[in-house]
Amino acid sequence: MFEKLKKRILSAVQKIARKGEEKEKIEEKKKKVEEKVKKKKGLLKKIIKKIKVKKLKKEDIEPIISEFKINLIEADASLEVANKIGDDLIKSLVEKEIERKKFKEKIIKSLKESLIEILNIPSIDLEKIISKAKNEDRAATFIFFGINGVGKSLSIAKFANFLSKKGYRVILAAGDTFRAAGDIQLEKYASALNLPVIKHKRGADPAAVIFDARKAAESRKYDIVLADTSGRIHTKRDLLDELQKIVRVNKPDLKILVLDSLSGNDVINQFEFFDEAVGIDAVVFTKVDVNEKGGNILSVCYKFKKPILFLGKGQNFDDIEEFDSQRFIENLIGDLKI
Ligand code: GDP
């Protein structure tokens, strides 16, 4: 996972650290001074400090930082994220007296702090949302959005499985009524998981399908409705109208956008489209198991500040990981040897 991104971070850390650890011709000076002026302790102390401690100039590391930014962008990070990480490094390293031996430590600390800031988004309290709905005698309704092929159906199935294992009763709503019957994976997944699914005929009003699922959940005492929606209909305008109607009619507790982590910077456009349409509360990134880059996850977090509900990590129902920013950061820079 994210191997390319990790390699690029490691290479930047090593290059900057080398700059910091580099010794000038001070060693020779030190010897001479030691011989000549044993008494001049003050001067000696100063020189020893120069050997142990170094102040980097901006021009010392600027080329490395520029290259690092390009590498981050090649690993799918946006320009904004790359600039933030690069600028943070410059701020914490340039014109600071740093012990040569401590350079790597300092670089990794700065990287960690940048990543923490980028990923610092309050997470979603699912239990709270579900119990609030229960107190109101209704099922919590989570609606999933996203373009076709991103892994929406499988993500819904994984999430349903995850919630069922926690003891919740989950019902699915086949709200993508536009897709040809053969493409409807959701029903196959529901049957494999032994979960009920509410569906209408192809072309039916998806807002009504989800409404029916909510009513069914209420009368059959289910806790949660997970609803699929269409990712493509005749025109963007049609899709927009359809999605807005779904939300107007069903007032979901969460509007979740599924993004394919392999789609590079297009995830930004997708987020903007769906966010303008319905207002996104949380995101899911799929296919991180086959993604070497992962910079776009940082970009979406930094730009939109919406929590990641979970990561999709494979093609099985159990391949789901609750997002934990600390674990994510650890995976990216935890292996860096200090
Ligand atoms: P939808 O069109 O958005 O509903 O997409 P599907 O749920 O049908 O998934 C599209 C394809 O992506 C399928 O072949 C899934 O098995 C695959 N897929 C979905 N999520 C993941 C994931 O996390 N990892 C991997 N490797 N494949 C995934």
Side-chain angles (χ1 to χ4, degrees):
M1 201 165 84
F2 314 136
E3 293 310 323
K4 218 173 237 171
L5 181 59
K6 282 198 251 182
K7 256 190 224 152
R8 285 165 181 194
I9 294 174
L10 176 63
S11 145
V13 171
Q14 283 170 338
K15 280 185 190 160
I16 304 170
R18 231 175 279 142
K19 275 271 163 216
E21 287 158 2
E22 234 169 47
K23 287 187 180 139
E24 296 88 5
K25 289 174 187 159
I26 300 168
E27 290 277 8
E28 291 166 28
K29 265 194 195 168
K30 183 193 161 196
K31 267 185 204 150
K32 277 187 200 159
V33 173
E34 267 179 328
E35 282 162 17
K36 276 188 187 170
V37 281
K38 275 191 184 159
K39 285 172 208 155
K40 292 185 182 171
K41 279 187 185 161
L43 182 60
L44 191 59
K45 254 191 200 161
K46 234 181 180 178
I47 290 174
I48 288 174
K49 189 180 169 205
K50 264 206 151 180
I51 293 167
K52 281 193 177 165
V53 170
K54 179 158 178 172
K55 249 192 207 178
L56 276 178
K57 292 195 187 69
K58 200 168 178 193
E59 58 265 30
D60 289 337
I61 58 166
E62 215 154 37
I64 307 172
I65 300 279
S66 299
E67 188 191 331
F68 182 37
K69 284 183 187 174
I70 293 168
N71 283 336
L72 287 172
I73 290 167
E74 277 170 3
D76 282 347
S78 61
L79 182 65
E80 287 100 321
V81 164
N83 279 341
K84 180 190 167 39
I85 295 176
D87 295 349
D88 284 353
L89 272 173
I90 288 184
K91 250 185 257 158
S92 62
L93 299 174
V94 169
E95 295 300 338
K96 298 270 157 59
E97 279 189 350
I98 299 169
E99 254 186 75
R100 283 170 204 272
K101 280 191 211 147
K102 298 253 166 90
F103 258 93
K104 256 193 191 162
E105 205 176 302
K106 184 90 183 155
I107 299 162
I108 293 167
K109 189 166 171 269
S110 164
L111 279 173
K112 217 175 218 173
E113 282 166 1
S114 294
L115 292 170
I116 289 171
E117 267 180 42
I118 291 168
L119 297 171
N120 181 21
I121 303 164
S123 56
I124 291 204
D125 189 341
L126 281 174
E127 277 177 30
K128 197 169 158 194
I129 296 173
I130 299 165
S131 66
K132 178 175 174 273
K134 209 181 183 81
N135 290 339
E136 294 166 3
D137 283 327
R138 59 180 184 87
T141 304
F142 301 153
I143 303 188
F144 286 72
F145 301 91
I147 62 173
N148 284 359
V150 292
K152 199 157 26 113
S153 315
L154 185 56
S155 296
I156 293 173
K158 285 176 182 176
F159 196 45
N161 184 41
F162 169 86
L163 292 166
S164 301
K165 281 187 177 171
K166 282 190 179 279
Y168 294 116
R169 280 162 53 81
V170 182
I171 192 164
L172 306 183
D176 183 358
T177 58
F178 182 73
R179 263 198 249 212
D183 290 343
I184 298 177
Q185 280 290 341
L186 192 71
E187 286 165 49
K188 293 178 198 156
Y189 293 144
S191 121
L193 287 166
N194 210 10
L195 291 171
V197 53
I198 302 295
K199 57 176 183 174
H200 288 188
K201 282 203 299 282
R202 181 167 186 242
D205 179 0
V209 178
I210 299 170
F211 188 82
D212 280 359
R214 289 172 49 228
K215 288 293 140 207
E218 242 175 76
S219 61
R220 295 197 231 158
K221 301 276 174 243
Y222 276 80
D223 305 299
I224 299 158
V225 175
L226 298 185
D228 195 6
T229 58
S230 178
R232 180 181 57 89
I233 47 177
H234 308 287
T235 66
K236 253 188 176 176
R237 184 73 247 168
D238 290 339
L239 179 59
L240 211 75
D241 289 344
E242 178 175 303
L243 299 180
Q244 286 171 343
K245 183 174 176 196
I246 288 173
V247 169
R248 209 167 46 242
V249 171
N250 291 290
K251 299 180 184 59
D253 295 275
L254 278 183
K255 290 157 283 178
I256 300 158
L257 178 63
V258 182
L259 294 167
D260 178 345
S261 70
L262 297 176
S263 15
N265 270 314
D266 197 50
V267 293
I268 302 278
N269 304 330
Q270 290 174 27
F271 190 103
E272 275 169 350
F273 173 78
F274 285 96
D275 194 39
E276 264 175 44
V278 295
I280 294 302
D281 301 309
V283 292
V284 167
F285 277 98
T286 61
K287 310 181 194 177
V288 298
D289 52 308
V290 283
N291 188 349
E292 296 220 301
K293 298 178 170 180
N296 56 359
I297 297 180
L298 298 175
S299 310
V300 169
C301 288
Y302 190 52
K303 191 168 172 75
F304 303 110
K305 299 276 170 224
K306 291 293 172 192
I308 298 175
L309 193 59
F310 62 84
L311 300 175
K313 294 185 78 174
Q315 299 195 299
N316 299 313
F317 297 134
D318 284 325
D319 295 331
I320 170 173
E321 183 180 305
E322 273 184 280
F323 185 73
D324 175 342
S325 58
Q326 237 166 328
R327 197 185 314 147
F328 188 85
I329 294 170
E330 206 49 37
N331 174 52
L332 281 186
I333 58 175
D335 302 340
L336 298 181
K337 288 182 187 66
I338 294 178

